[in-house]
């Protein structure tokens, strides 16, 4: 099977690619390399890997990328509410307009696996979110992902994953994710100031995100035309719990502020029963993910872009 990964040089794409290559899939990645492409270098030793530098908003680039492809794993996007707020024009073009272009150009026979997000649930206090819970996105990012997911699922021959909040080490590391950000602040700054400490999030390691796409490829007939929450019920934690988990491993000053508000008011717990009933389980715990982040902290010099989360 020939698989196209949009955003193949990104956080999830660089964790997913070796899984697929080692399983014998032919992998083609398209990415504009806005965050660099050094993480792709090891993949070029595989005969079943190819790369195309291109923009998913460009018709000719996408026509070339889609040629001969059996399945599209659609990861490319402007991710997170801060980035969408900073680049509103680009976020709509990439998260929505390019999504429409992909659907226009892809044949009905080409499978689509879409990376959506739990941010589409918004703020749902005291409710366990299932795939049938009404969506209530509070940010442009959440709204764009909801609209894109709806387009893809209406097209058919597709699966959409509403992922928990990502964390963990990937060849293309992101430090704007809550657990990654908190851990690196604890290491680099020895200080962490957190507001809305009671807010609940549900988390998933980036490797388990990658594994879920491999699982979908191997079980597509059972999963086709369905939306799935992807995460682990054992990894529902408050911000406060994450902070204490980090402090069990490294000493740092922790302050819970009474003033401050996250514009992305995600505060919910999620059920993952639908996908676990099919046999998918997450393999990496938050504690193990924090251990990995602490190991790589000394070789990563990038500072976190946000002062508070």
């Amino acid at each position: 099977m020939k698989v196209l990964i949009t955003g193949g040089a990104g956080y999830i794409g660089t964790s997913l690619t070796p899984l697929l290559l080692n399983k014998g899939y032919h992998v083609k990645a398209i990415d504009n390399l806005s965050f660099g492409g050094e993480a792709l270098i090891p993949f070029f030793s595989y005969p079943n890997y190819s790369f195309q530098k291109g923009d998913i908003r460009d018709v000719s680039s996408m026509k070339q990328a889609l040629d001969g492809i059996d399945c599209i794993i659609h990861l490319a996007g402007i991710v997170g509410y801060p980035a969408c707020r900073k680049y509103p024009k680009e976020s709509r073009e990439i998260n929505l307009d390019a999504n429409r272009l992909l659907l226009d150009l892809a044949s009905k026979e080409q499978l689509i696996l879409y990376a959506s997000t739990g941010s589409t649930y918004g703020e749902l206090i005291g409710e366990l979110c299932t795939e049938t819970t009404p969506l209530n996105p509070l940010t442009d990012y959440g709204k764009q992902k909801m609209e894109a997911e709806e387009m893809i699922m209406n097209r058919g021959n597709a699966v959409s994953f509403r992922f928990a909040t990502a964390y963990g080490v990937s060849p293309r590391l992101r430090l704007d994710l809550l657990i990654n950000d908190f851990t690196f602040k604890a290491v680099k700054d020895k200080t962490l100031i957190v507001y809305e400490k009671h807010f609940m999030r549900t988390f998933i390691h980036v490797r388990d995100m990658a594994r879920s796409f491999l699982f979908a490829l191997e079980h597509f007939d059972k999963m086709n035309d369905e939306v799935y929450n992807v995460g682990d019920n054992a990894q529902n934690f408050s911000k406060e719990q994450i902070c204490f988990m980090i402090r069990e491993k490294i000493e740092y000053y922790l302050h819970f502020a009474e003033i401050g508000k996250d514009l992305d008011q995600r505060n919910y717990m999620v059920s993952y029963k639908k996908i676990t009933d099919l046999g998918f389980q997450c393999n990496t715990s938050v504690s193990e993910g924090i251990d990995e982040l602490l190991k790589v902290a000394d070789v990563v010099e990038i500072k976190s872009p946000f002062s508070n989360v």
Side-chain angles (χ1 to χ4, degrees):
M1 177 180 278
K2 296 181 179 179
V3 178
L4 173 68
I5 303 177
T6 70
Y11 182 63
I12 304 172
T14 52
S15 289
L16 172 60
T17 296
L19 286 184
L20 297 180
L21 292 173
N22 289 326
K23 283 285 188 175
Y25 290 91
H26 289 260
V27 177
K28 182 177 186 178
I30 182 170
D31 199 292
N32 64 7
L33 301 183
S34 57
F35 292 96
E38 292 83 359
L40 299 176
I41 291 173
F43 308 145
F44 287 95
S45 63
Y46 289 83
N48 50 335
Y49 179 78
S50 64
F51 174 75
Q52 177 187 331
K53 184 177 180 180
D55 194 309
I56 63 169
R57 294 170 289 184
D58 181 71
V59 175
S60 60
S61 290
M62 286 306 296
K63 283 183 177 178
Q64 179 185 348
L66 290 166
D67 185 42
I69 294 299
D70 300 304
C71 177
I72 304 142
I73 300 180
H74 189 24
L75 305 178
I78 302 292
V79 180
Y81 82 90
C84 290
R85 183 178 58 181
K86 186 174 181 179
Y87 304 107
K89 178 176 179 292
E90 291 83 356
S91 70
R92 286 200 64 83
E93 289 177 351
I94 294 171
N95 294 348
L96 286 177
D97 296 343
N99 195 72
R100 293 188 185 96
L101 176 63
L102 171 63
L103 296 179
D104 287 342
L105 296 178
S107 73
K108 293 294 185 180
E109 291 72 33
Q110 290 174 315
L111 318 180
I112 296 180
L113 305 181
Y114 179 59
S116 188
T117 173
S119 292
T120 55
Y121 290 120
E123 183 179 20
L124 293 170
I125 300 172
E127 184 172 348
L128 188 65
C129 299
T130 70
E131 290 80 0
T132 60
T133 299
L135 302 181
N136 182 39
L138 302 175
T139 64
D140 286 341
Y141 173 62
K143 292 172 185 176
Q144 289 166 10
K145 297 298 282 186
M146 178 183 70
E147 188 174 340
E149 178 186 276
E150 183 179 2
M151 284 189 281
I152 287 172
M153 297 311 296
N154 286 340
R155 176 259 195 190
N157 210 23
V159 171
S160 181
F161 285 155
R162 293 176 188 161
F163 283 111
T165 300
Y167 69 92
V169 173
S170 171
R172 209 294 277 177
L173 188 59
R174 283 181 59 190
L175 297 184
D176 58 317
L177 300 164
L178 188 145
I179 291 177
N180 295 8
D181 182 41
F182 282 14
T183 303
F184 270 74
K185 279 195 177 72
V187 173
K188 302 290 186 180
D189 303 336
K190 301 297 182 184
T191 300
L192 183 56
I193 300 173
V194 176
Y195 45 76
E196 298 174 329
K197 67 178 183 178
H198 62 286
F199 270 36
M200 296 295 300
R201 295 278 185 91
T202 179
F203 298 94
I204 183 170
H205 195 284
V206 64
R207 283 197 304 273
D208 286 322
M209 298 174 81
R211 288 179 54 251
S212 70
F213 286 111
L214 178 60
F215 183 85
L217 285 173
E218 295 174 343
H219 300 84
F220 189 82
D221 288 346
K222 293 181 180 179
M223 302 177 71
N224 191 13
D225 292 334
E226 294 286 342
V227 175
Y228 296 87
N229 294 327
V230 184
D232 186 341
N233 286 114
Q235 297 190 45
N236 281 311
F237 295 108
S238 68
K239 289 183 178 181
E240 181 179 37
Q241 289 173 309
I242 295 298
C243 293
F244 289 145
M245 204 178 298
I246 297 169
R247 200 159 70 172
E248 289 175 359
K249 302 173 184 294
I250 182 173
E251 283 295 325
Y252 70 95
Y253 172 74
L254 173 62
H255 175 70
F256 294 117
E258 299 299 325
I259 299 174
K261 183 177 181 180
D262 194 335
L263 294 180
D264 185 359
Q265 289 285 291
R266 281 177 290 170
N267 186 16
Y268 53 79
M269 295 180 67
V270 178
S271 169
Y272 301 103
K273 185 177 185 301
K274 184 174 179 180
I275 195 166
T276 56
D277 281 351
L278 291 178
F280 179 79
Q281 298 284 344
C282 291
N283 285 347
T284 305
S285 70
V286 169
S287 180
E288 290 168 331
I290 293 171
D291 287 339
E292 292 177 356
L293 289 162
L294 291 173
K295 288 177 183 178
V296 305
D298 287 340
V299 299
V300 177
E301 298 300 327
I302 307 169
K303 287 193 174 181
S304 177
F306 307 114
S307 57
N308 289 311
V309 182

